[in-house]
Amino acid sequence: MTASSLPTQSNLASQLINNILAIKPLAKLAKYQARKMIINRAEKIGVPWRENVRQLHLHNWEEELAKIENINLIYPEYYLCSFHAYETGNLSWESALEVESAAYAVHANIWPEAGINGDTRLRQNYHEVLKQQVIVPPQTILDIGCSVGMSTFSLQETYPQAEVTGLDLSPYHLAVAQYRTQEKNLAINWVHGAAESTGLSDASFDLVSAFLLFHELPQKAAQNIFQEARRLLRPGGYFTMMDMNPRAEAFKKMPPYVMTLLKSTEPYLDEYFTLDVAANLIDAGFKSPRITPMSPRHRTIVAQAE
Ligand SMILES: C[S@@+](CC[C@H](N)C(=O)[O-])C[C@H]1O[C@@H](n2cnc3c(N)ncnc32)[C@H](O)[C@@H]1O
């Protein structure tokens, strides 16, 4: 055994966690503990997680679901797995009713001083980059992987004149987005569909945006989505995305066992971290993708349709 192959404490811890996660009941327990920890942490920084969920449960969601769900939609195989410690991933009420609180909690530690405002700051930084790099304000916008609409609402706020559409594979997330639209008295078009085959018309958007979608995708799906975005954009239109930055120091310094835990809730993280986004965008018909780090852990990528 050479010095470099000697097991370090971190590697051993990582290996141990991998072994634990391979045993189903233990993985279940680990996910339960991780979930309990995140809820407690959220409530400590002022996100009333359990109260938010309790309030949302009072609504008639089945009625909301019936209005939005495309019952003929065939889900891609890669989507039908556990995500974020939810057994049925994004296809559940549990994830739909908790996702807003989870976003506030997870983004609270990006900037230690921001706390509960971390999520808002992340979205503002994205829009700052867009305002600088998307030269003509878009009139028609598609938000792919819109979930419960947090990214869609911030696009509408940044471009109040624009006609905005949000698209997602989860009808449960979309039901919450639709409910929030009524609360906010906005007119957003919600589509239950897959970002790689939207069924929307050619050249019908000035901007296709994806906020925190790509780390949830295998590489093949990501490549198909770049091509679909190119088809949907008018010539000169923009594709923009915001997601984790694999080159960020924060990830390089992350102890391997913490990374292992992160991967246990994000099944395609390795594929995302090794995807050459710029090269794939060029292959799909975009020119000069620009990558801008805009948080200690995130980057924004802007590319214009040829
Ligand atoms: C982390 S959430 C995105 C959050 C949201 N954009 C925001 O800013 O809060 C990822 C979303 O992408 C959706 N999604 C994953 N794969 C998809 C696909 N192929 N097509 C459409 N939506 C997809 C999931 O259902 C989930 O709602």
Side-chain angles (χ1 to χ4, degrees), residues 26 28 33 39 54 67 69 77 119 121 129 131 141 159 161 172-173 201 204 209 251 258-259 287 297:
L26 290 182
K28 214 169 162 186
Q33 288 301 345
I39 295 176
R54 195 189 67 76
K67 287 190 249 165
E69 186 175 23
E77 197 57 39
D119 183 79
R121 186 160 155 191
V129 177
K131 279 191 230 156
I141 301 176
Y159 301 107
Q161 81 298 338
Y172 305 94
H173 288 202
S201 306
S204 50
S209 169
F251 289 116
V258 177
M259 189 53 117
K287 64 179 177 191
R297 300 204 302 248

Side-chain angles (χ1 to χ4, degrees), residues 76 78-79 84 90 123 143-147 150-151 167-170 173 193-196 211-213 215-217 225:
Y78 68 80
Y79 188 72
H84 309 147
N90 293 313
R123 293 174 199 278
D143 182 23
I144 50 176
C146 65
S147 179
M150 295 171 89
S151 47
L167 176 140
D168 203 280
L169 268 173
S170 169
H173 288 202
E196 50 270 67
F211 196 94
L212 290 171
L213 165 66
H215 70 278
E216 291 196 6
L217 301 171
I225 292 174

Side-chain angles (χ1 to χ4, degrees), residues 43 49 71 76 97 99 114-115 117 162 183 188-189 201 206 233 236 244 273 286 294 305:
E43 293 187 342
W49 182 305
I71 51 168
L97 302 189
V99 70
N117 299 317
E183 272 187 338
I188 288 175
N189 177 30
S201 306
D206 299 321
L233 282 168
M244 288 180 239
F273 271 22
F286 290 93
M294 27 62 78

